[in-house]
Amino acid sequence: MSTDGAAGPAVWLVPAQWLPPTAEKTADALAAGRITAEEADAMGYEQLPVSDGPSAPEMAVRAARRALARAGLPAEDIGALWHAWTYYQGHDFWSPAHYVAARTGALDAVPTGVQQMCNGAGAALRGALHQLTAQPGGGPVLITTADRFAPPGFDRWHGDYGVWYGDGATAAVAGTGAAPAGALTLCALVTRAAPELESAHRDTDAFHPAPHTRSAAVDVRRTKKAFLAAQGGRQAFLGRLRRETTAVLAAALAEAGQGGAGRLSSVLLPRLGRATARDVYGPAVAEVTDAPVADLGERTGHLGAGDLLSNLAALADDSGPHRLAPGGCAAVLSAGAGFTWSAAVVRRT
């Protein structure tokens, strides 16, 4: 396995997720006027999971415990923990990564927080892999993500263009050596970035002294509207997104030795809805492979930093409809504001 071109030992992954049992239905949001019929059709999602109690870090602990149980490892064996998020973790001046490590029982782990927006899982996985390569005897690494998009600070249905946000947490144990039963082998992980696009999520007129100074709730629509006007419009921006997605997937398939054509069982997409899959990811993937694409967000929405690990969990779930057969390969795409793109290629052990 190599990561962004760096050779290293074979790395296995045991992913898991924890989603709250409660949800808000699209039909109810439509009836309440929170979304339009056009938005519901463009998204194509049935519901969004909503946490009515656990905070984001508390959900991360639950996902971490599931991943450790599936890997058959005690928390005491973990050498490092990487925790990623996109939105508020429940306290203003604090390290959620250390909380997740402490409450999981990974007291010998070195915690690291990752704030790379919706590519957070890709960034955390990249850091974990470099650590495993540099310190092969340092023990397995635990990766977690968690987000809770609660009011009044965030409107999960209407706070962004073309994205509906669900609450939940994901986790993965990554290690080298003998792999646990049912683990995925990571064949490649490639990441690309375009920092010049960072203003899509920033007010360009001024920096603010404190959260929610400009508006009571996060308003991604405001910043994106100004960004698109400055960049030449929506179509030009979508074209750039397609090109970057094609490039990162092609590089990952080449690194994994897939050659691109017909050998993947599927390409799993960021959970951004039907229209984005049709206009961006479908055409971008078709430039590289004829493998079918799938957006698994119908009942989860976009999980903030967690889409990548949630998709990996679906591939590893023996009882799920997207289970990867033994010896089979799949690719998982991730993208986040900034902008950053990651593509992972995995094989079922």
Side-chain angles (χ1 to χ4, degrees):
M1 190 282 299
S2 62
T3 305
D4 291 324
V11 171
W12 50 261
L13 298 170
V14 177
Q17 68 177 7
W18 188 90
L19 300 179
T22 54
E24 293 182 4
K25 302 292 185 180
T26 300
D28 293 336
L30 182 60
R34 301 181 67 182
I35 56 174
T36 67
E38 291 77 14
E39 289 170 333
D41 181 67
M43 192 60 57
Y45 287 173
E46 176 185 336
Q47 67 176 35
L48 300 179
V50 174
S51 174
D52 58 6
S55 68
E58 289 171 321
M59 291 190 289
V61 171
R62 299 181 187 194
R65 289 172 177 165
R66 284 189 177 180
L68 287 166
R70 291 177 181 178
L73 291 174
E76 293 83 0
D77 286 359
I78 297 299
L81 181 142
W82 295 69
H83 176 64
W85 68 92
T86 68
Y87 184 57
Y88 189 60
Q89 295 289 286
H91 292 281
D92 293 329
F93 198 66
W94 175 66
S95 173
H98 286 73
Y99 174 94
V100 175
R103 292 303 177 96
T104 302
L107 300 183
D108 292 327
V110 177
T112 301
V114 178
Q115 221 289 332
Q116 203 192 67
M117 300 302 285
C118 299
N119 193 52
L125 180 57
R126 187 171 185 261
L129 294 177
H130 282 294
Q131 183 163 342
L132 288 169
T133 300
Q135 298 177 319
V141 176
L142 180 61
I143 303 153
T144 61
T145 80
D147 278 296
R148 183 187 182 205
F149 300 99
F154 206 106
D155 184 339
R156 68 180 72 250
W157 296 96
H158 195 69
D160 199 350
Y161 286 122
V163 188
W164 290 352
Y165 294 83
D167 299 343
T170 68
V173 181
T176 59
L184 302 173
T185 298
L186 187 64
C187 303
L189 176 68
V190 172
T191 298
R192 293 170 58 91
E196 67 273 18
L197 302 180
E198 56 81 23
S199 61
H201 293 77
R202 172 172 61 86
D203 285 319
T204 56
D205 54 348
F207 283 86
H208 310 308
H212 300 296
T213 299
R214 176 69 183 271
S215 58
V218 173
D219 187 356
V220 187
R221 294 188 177 216
R222 181 183 69 244
T223 61
K224 280 187 175 179
K225 184 176 181 179
F227 171 81
L228 292 174
Q231 293 289 320
R234 181 174 179 271
Q235 291 306 314
F237 181 56
L238 294 183
R240 178 69 183 273
L241 299 184
R242 285 191 292 268
R243 292 192 297 274
E244 294 290 348
T245 300
T246 295
V248 76
L249 178 59
L253 293 182
E255 187 173 294
Q258 291 297 306
R263 300 183 60 189
L264 296 174
S265 67
S266 62
V267 179
L268 301 187
L269 308 179
R271 300 177 183 191
L272 301 175
R274 177 188 295 153
T276 301
R278 179 193 65 220
D279 297 339
V280 176
Y281 289 104
V285 170
E287 292 287 332
V288 183
T289 175
D290 59 2
V293 300
D295 177 341
L296 307 187
E298 181 180 2
R299 297 180 62 81
T300 70
H302 178 51
L303 292 172
D307 282 2
L308 186 148
L309 292 187
S310 183
N311 282 336
L312 291 177
L315 293 174
D317 183 1
D318 284 335
S319 62
H322 299 282
R323 173 183 180 270
L324 191 58
C329 291
V332 179
L333 294 171
S334 176
F339 273 71
T340 311
W341 295 264
S342 290
V345 180
V346 296
R347 183 178 69 252
R348 186 65 183 263
T349 303

